[in-house]
Amino acid sequence: MAGRSPRAHEMGAFLRSRRTRLTPGEVGLPDGGVRRTPGLRREEVARLAGVSEGYYIRLEQGRAPHPSASVLGALARTLRLSADERGHLFALAGEAGPEPERAPLATGAHRMLELLSPPTAAYVINGRSDVLAWNDTAAALFGHLVEGARPPNNVRYVFTDPGARDLFVDWPAIAADSVAHLRAAAGHRPDDAELAELIARLHEVSADFRRLWAARGLRHKTGGRKELNHPVAGRMSLEYTVLAAPMDAGQRLVAYTAAPGSASHTALTRLGEPS
């Protein structure tokens, strides 16, 4: 529809995706029998959020005036949004500015990377999941960091390199997390041309990416565990931690470790040794 901004269109689609995943019982409404479409009706969301049905319909269509913070908060509560999803909604409505990307690699991030030694594998990424720097152990653990003519990008690697499906034991979960992080970044950085180009390219080449992107998942993980089938070191169970880089809100340091004394710790140590 003419006149809709891309951000307003995306906000409408996001609201619609969250409305259709809820059941009446989850928000305290009677079931009301069989429904032709899944989820809540628009009029139910509008009533629970305290806005007119017409206004909410225009929001989903990307035609409504800029919603206030109070309206956004009411919608977030009604749709049972997580903290990440709530932040994404506010960003799409223009209530949060884009994350700054200053120097190619923040000085603080570089110092953090230098402090980490084997058997810790670590790298620094920006909001687009471009890998800006890494240590030798990370290079040995993730071969895509040193292969290819283009700068490495973790999401592109997951969806376009067959080796990623071999490396990550739970590739579907890794893929879903990657897309969820990228969608959150897109909400905060609507004017990032490089990010938009990356998303468009992944839509072209990967059906899995298109499916996950359409699901509109959002996720900001600060840590977890990954199981790897490394071509040299074999099966490894690693814990990872994500830290915000000092002095630059757009960069994060990701560090992989293994429990001391474990087979994974021994393997990670050997990977970090000079060849």
Side-chain angles (χ1 to χ4, degrees):
M1 183 174 297
R4 293 190 303 178
S5 71
R7 181 181 279 192
H9 173 78
E10 175 57 30
M11 183 174 69
F14 179 67
L15 288 171
R16 188 163 53 252
S17 73
R18 282 355 188 213
R19 171 175 62 82
T20 56
R21 74 177 181 179
L22 288 174
T23 64
E26 289 178 296
V27 296
L29 295 175
D31 188 7
V34 178
R35 296 187 173 218
R36 290 178 299 190
T37 58
L40 300 178
R41 299 185 176 100
R42 292 185 178 91
E43 61 267 26
E44 291 170 336
V45 174
R47 185 170 69 251
L48 291 170
V51 300
S52 72
E53 180 183 346
Y55 179 72
Y56 180 75
I57 290 174
R58 292 195 298 276
L59 276 176
E60 282 202 1
Q61 293 174 340
R63 298 188 297 111
H66 178 77
S68 67
S70 61
V71 167
L72 294 170
L75 289 171
R77 290 190 295 273
T78 298
L79 296 173
R80 303 296 194 267
L81 300 188
S82 67
D84 288 342
E85 291 169 335
R86 186 180 189 277
H88 186 64
L89 176 64
F90 272 68
L92 290 174
E95 290 292 331
E99 296 176 354
E101 288 273 8
R102 290 185 279 272
L105 180 63
T107 301
H110 191 272
R111 288 173 180 165
M112 290 171 67
L113 193 60
E114 288 180 335
L115 291 173
L116 296 172
S117 57
T120 298
Y123 53 77
V124 178
I125 58 175
N126 63 12
R128 292 185 296 271
S129 292
D130 296 327
V131 188
L132 306 178
W134 54 87
N135 64 12
D136 291 341
T137 308
L141 186 62
F142 301 108
H144 73 287
L145 298 181
V146 293
E147 295 176 354
R150 293 179 298 181
N153 178 278
N154 281 350
V155 184
R156 186 172 62 227
Y157 166 66
V158 167
F159 286 97
T160 66
D161 191 325
R165 295 177 184 263
D166 296 330
L167 179 65
F168 296 117
V169 173
D170 192 358
W171 183 89
I174 300 299
D177 284 347
S178 298
V179 175
H181 280 290
L182 206 62
R183 178 169 283 285
H188 286 276
R189 306 162 60 83
D191 300 321
D192 188 329
E194 292 184 53
L195 177 57
E197 181 181 356
L198 173 65
I199 293 168
R201 178 58 179 158
L202 290 172
H203 267 92
E204 290 177 4
V205 301
S206 174
D208 287 313
F209 182 87
R210 292 193 297 272
R211 172 179 54 80
L212 290 167
W213 187 263
R216 288 182 163 78
L218 289 166
R219 205 163 293 120
H220 288 287
K221 282 196 170 182
T222 57
R225 179 180 296 276
K226 289 182 182 178
E227 301 288 331
L228 277 60
N229 271 325
H230 194 272
V232 174
R235 184 68 175 256
M236 304 174 71
S237 179
L238 302 179
E239 296 177 357
Y240 68 94
T241 302
V242 183
L243 302 173
M247 305 305 292
D248 196 310
Q251 296 180 11
R252 292 163 289 157
L253 183 140
V254 185
Y256 287 82
T257 60
S262 66
S264 296
H265 186 272
T266 300
L268 197 58
T269 302
R270 289 174 178 169
L271 280 177
E273 293 174 347
S275 55

